Structures are given as C-alpha cells and as structure tokens.
Amino acid sequence: MSAHREGSLPSSPPPLAPAKSLKICDMVTIARLLNLTLVVPELDKASFWADPSNFEDIFDVGHFINSLRDEVRIIKRLPKRFGLRYGYQPLVMPPVSWSNEQYYLQQILPLFDKHKVIHFNRTDARLANNGIPLELQRLRCRVNFQALKFTREIEELGNKLIRVIQQKGPYLALHLRYEMDMLAFSGCTHGCTANEAEELRQLRYAFPWWREKEIVSEEKRAHGLCPLTPEETALILQALGFDKETQIYIASGEIYGSERRLAALRAAFPRIVKKEMLLDPDDLRQFQNHSSQMAALDFLVSVASDIFIPTYDGNMARVVEGHRRYLGFKKTFQLDRRRLVELLDLHQNKTLSWDEFSVAVRLAHEKRMGQPTQRMVIANKPKEEEYFYANPQECLCEGKDCADFFVPGNTTTFQ
C-alpha cells in the first residue's frame, strides 16, 4: 500500500478478503492520523494463493472512496508527477508491527519530508490493538463496517446463497480451517499420515517466509496452536449439544485429505452443505480461481449464520466474530483449543467418559460465546492479547465511557 505527502500506503499477501480488509482499515487510519493521501492498494498476486484479484474485484472502490471523503483523501493510483521520471524514488519499507500513533507521528511522518512517497510492503497487524485514541479506533470500525463493501456481484451471490440455506432452516457456519496451506504454514500434522506430514513439511520449506524453525506438531497442538481436525471437530460439536439434524455450512477451501477426512464429520452431521453444493456451477464460475472472492462468499454466509464456530482463530475467524458482535452479539463460539485438546485426549484414552467429556466441554465455553466483554489486554505482549477486530469494543457502545456496557467481571488484564 502506498502513501504520499500530498498525501499515499501498500498491501501484503493475505489469502482471504477479510484479512485484506483488516490491513486496509489500519492503513486508512494511519493515513488519517498523518494527514496523508492514501492510494487504493494493489493486492498481492505472487503469494502461495496466486489470486489475481485486484481491490476493485473484491470491494466497491467507489463506495470506499466516497464514504471516507470527510476523513481521508483516497485516490485510485499514484499521480505520475510522483514517479521515477520526475525524480521520486518511493521508500519501500514495512512499518513496525503493533505500533501506536506516536510511532507513526515521530518516526514515519518525518520520512515524508525526504521521500514524499512511502510504500508499505507489509501491512498486517501494523497498528496496536489498544492504547489508540478513541476517534482513531472508531475510524477503524467505520472503515471495517461501513466503507468496505464487497462488489455488487459478490453481495448478490452471497445473499442468494444465504437465502438458499435459510430456506432449509437455521444453520451453523463452521469455519473448518483444515486446508493444505494452513497445515503447511502452521506445521500441524495431527491426524495426517506419514506421507501427508512429509508433503506438508516440503510445502512449508518451499516458501522461505514460512520456514522460521522446525515445528513439533504435537507440542504445538498441546498448546492449542493448531486448528482442530475434522474428526476432533465432530466430537466437539456433539459435546456442545448439536445433533444430527443440525444444518452445518462449511466455510473453507478444499479440506486436506478431501472426503476421507470429512467422513467422521459427515457421519455425525449428515446435513452438511457447502457453496458448491447449493449453487449452480454457472453462479460460481466467475469466482473460481479467485480465492479471495470465494472467501468473501463464505464471510457473508458466516456473518449471517445463527451460530458461528471457527476451528482456528485466524483473520477470517476474527473478523467474522467482530462483525457478529457489531450486529448484536450473535452467538459465536470462541473455542479454547488448549483445553479442548486436553479433554479430547483424556476422552480418547478412556480417562473421561462421554458424559464427563461433554460436561467439561460445555463448562469450558459458557463464557466464550461472543457475549459483551472488554477486550483482553496483555501488557507488552500485543501478539498474545485479544485482537481489536475480534472485539472492537469502542465501536459497540455509545458515548466515551463504555465500561457499563460490558458484562461485569469480564474485564481481563494480564501484567
């Protein structure tokens, strides 16, 4: 994303439209803080997902620009007079992650006097969750909930998909994050064959920015850092009280292991549906090979669902959770994977009976269903605290003091 003194900002390689939207919200807010002009981002096309989509293929660019015109100047492309031909060399840099407004005012803004144009080549999580002025936090929400609209084609097909599902009754949207790229990136191979584990390892090592260190899958799983497998997910849903009549929409890409890995989930919940099952192939043809646009459809269906359950807390899960809070705290299970893995292992080695397992799973999630709570803050550990977009509390209540709006006793701060 690019920004220039007259006022510009860039984008990084997210696989999902919701992930892109979070980065854009932060960049708009930074442009407003620094009184810069924002250039509509060019989305990455060289990452693992190789999605050729441009900003205007996913979002309504006209609405985006016009709805924010009283906050920040946004232009579609960098003016030619700021190009190399006129002696300008944009500064390409990643801003420091989880930074507050002082970082941008004191360290980034002075750079514009020299370079005039800055291109941020990384925009993921570059603005702090907490400690940001209220007006900037609310601008982030205005961008997220109002300015960023999907294109008419995505909105219309998403709404059609929702209508088709709702005609069949209430539904649970399950964000089953068990695609090949997620497993390779995370290094999680629980439930995979030895050949599959090796295939995932080789994929991870094929992308240098994923290969940070050797990953011990079972250790990572024990700490709750792996997505739940389809088989584990089936047991958890049953323990939470969902029965065979529950209609489940699977919001995901291709599940690694395909139908073989979905067998246990389908046996427990035969009313599983996916967009490919509900729509005519002609409806989806224009979105095929465009992972961001397909993810946008899943996003719309997930936000509209009666219940939303993600098996991993990535960007998609976080932004859906935040939107559901914004729409009236619609039921969203925030699965405690660390506790669930412990309970699953105890049940499967027969230490816990089914009834004991089910009761323990439900007790662990009584206060993890999207109720109003103040955002969790962990001093000096922003990566571990609750993400702003999952719980944008400043945007969920009126007035400057929101303390009375949230459930008493649910404020959590760790030192």
Side-chain angles (χ1 to χ4, degrees):
M1 208 167 312
S2 302
H4 62 86
R5 188 58 159 153
E6 186 190 281
S8 86
L9 294 163
S11 126
S12 62
L16 298 173
K20 290 179 170 71
S21 71
L22 305 187
K23 304 164 194 288
I24 294 166
C25 295
D26 282 1
M27 294 301 108
V28 170
T29 304
I30 292 165
R32 171 67 181 84
L33 171 67
L34 302 182
N35 194 27
L36 301 175
T37 296
L38 179 74
V39 178
V40 168
E42 294 184 4
L43 306 181
D44 176 78
K45 298 180 179 63
S47 66
F48 170 86
W49 300 274
D51 187 341
S53 300
N54 294 312
F55 183 96
E56 60 270 21
D57 297 320
I58 301 170
F59 301 108
D60 184 334
V61 66
H63 175 80
F64 175 66
I65 293 173
N66 292 332
S67 63
L68 293 169
R69 63 182 181 273
D70 60 337
E71 293 280 2
V72 62
R73 183 172 181 241
I74 303 175
I75 57 177
K76 291 185 178 180
R77 58 189 62 86
L78 189 69
K80 291 183 179 179
R81 65 180 181 276
F82 287 98
L84 291 174
R85 181 178 177 183
Y86 294 91
Y88 289 100
Q89 178 67 51
L91 173 64
V92 180
M93 63 168 291
V96 176
S97 297
W98 312 109
S99 296
N100 62 21
E101 78 279 11
Q102 293 306 312
Y103 164 78
Y104 288 99
L105 289 169
Q106 296 172 10
Q107 298 189 46
I108 298 298
L109 186 57
L111 295 174
F112 282 92
D113 291 331
K114 178 180 179 180
H115 299 279
K116 307 304 178 185
V117 178
I118 295 183
H119 178 94
F120 286 168
N121 58 359
R122 289 288 184 273
T123 56
D124 52 311
R126 302 296 149 159
L127 197 57
N129 291 315
N130 303 293
I132 302 295
L134 181 60
E135 64 271 17
L136 294 181
Q137 296 287 55
R138 288 186 169 167
L139 175 58
R140 293 167 93 173
C141 290
R142 180 176 170 185
V143 181
N144 195 33
F145 299 125
Q146 299 174 28
L148 282 172
K149 289 180 57 179
F150 293 125
T151 63
R152 178 178 58 81
E153 293 79 8
I154 291 174
E155 292 277 352
E156 288 181 353
L157 188 57
N159 289 332
K160 177 181 178 179
L161 185 54
I162 291 167
R163 288 195 300 271
V164 171
I165 300 170
Q166 290 178 335
Q167 287 171 359
K168 302 174 183 293
Y171 70 97
L172 181 160
L174 178 66
H175 185 46
L176 188 59
R177 200 70 174 97
Y178 206 74
E179 302 96 339
M180 186 177 187
D181 62 291
M182 168 51 64
L183 298 178
F185 172 75
S186 65
C188 296
T189 59
H190 183 75
C192 295
T193 66
N195 288 339
E196 288 172 336
E198 177 59 21
E199 181 180 44
L200 294 171
R201 189 189 69 83
Q202 290 183 8
L203 176 60
R204 183 170 74 255
Y205 275 77
F207 291 84
W209 54 91
W210 286 2
R211 190 183 59 199
E212 295 182 3
K213 59 184 177 181
E214 286 294 329
I215 297 173
V216 180
S217 176
E218 290 306 314
E219 288 183 8
K220 196 167 185 179
R221 175 177 175 269
H223 286 92
L225 299 176
C226 288
L228 295 175
T229 69
E231 295 86 356
E232 291 172 333
T233 301
L235 291 173
I236 296 304
L237 292 179
Q238 289 175 311
L240 288 171
F242 297 104
D243 60 28
K244 295 177 74 74
E245 295 305 310
T246 304
Q247 181 179 206
I248 297 179
Y249 176 86
I250 295 184
S252 74
E254 180 65 27
I255 300 301
Y256 189 58
S258 302
E259 288 301 312
R260 175 179 64 82
R261 295 307 302 273
L262 286 174
L265 189 61
R266 285 194 184 280
F269 301 98
R271 296 187 65 201
I272 285 178
V273 296
K274 300 177 70 174
K275 53 185 173 293
E276 293 83 359
M277 298 167 56
L278 299 172
L279 295 174
D280 189 280
D282 289 339
D283 289 330
L284 286 172
R285 186 164 289 116
Q286 63 179 311
F287 302 113
Q288 287 176 344
N289 302 319
H290 295 80
S291 59
S292 293
Q293 296 176 53
M294 294 287 269
L297 296 174
D298 283 341
F299 171 82
L300 291 170
V301 176
S302 297
V303 169
S305 65
D306 297 278
I307 298 171
F308 176 66
I309 301 182
T311 60
Y312 190 71
D313 56 355
N315 282 324
M316 172 76 163
R318 290 165 171 170
V319 71
V320 170
E321 179 184 346
H323 274 254
R324 291 173 66 83
R325 287 178 182 271
Y326 186 76
L327 294 173
F329 299 95
K330 300 174 71 173
K331 184 175 287 188
T332 302
F333 281 82
Q334 303 148 302
L335 297 183
D336 183 346
R337 291 190 307 281
R338 185 168 187 164
R339 177 63 174 150
L340 288 176
V341 164
E342 178 185 351
L343 293 173
L344 282 162
D345 289 347
L346 289 172
H347 172 59
Q348 291 177 334
N349 68 23
K350 303 189 185 308
T351 302
L352 279 183
S353 68
W354 173 257
D355 287 343
E356 291 170 325
F357 171 72
S358 182
V359 168
V361 169
R362 295 188 197 191
L363 286 175
H365 295 88
E366 281 184 329
K367 296 182 179 180
R368 299 176 63 92
M369 292 188 284
Q371 302 98 324
T373 58
Q374 287 193 354
R375 195 166 53 247
M376 181 181 68
V377 179
I378 303 178
N380 302 317
K381 293 184 178 180
K383 289 182 68 174
E384 298 179 21
E385 64 189 10
E386 191 172 8
Y387 199 33
F388 172 82
Y389 291 103
N391 187 6
Q393 63 187 42
E394 296 88 341
C395 314
L396 305 178
C397 57
E398 299 295 331
K400 293 185 178 180
D401 185 1
C402 296
D404 294 339
F405 180 73
F406 298 98
V407 176
N410 277 353
T411 301
T412 309
T413 303
F414 295 99
Q415 298 298 331

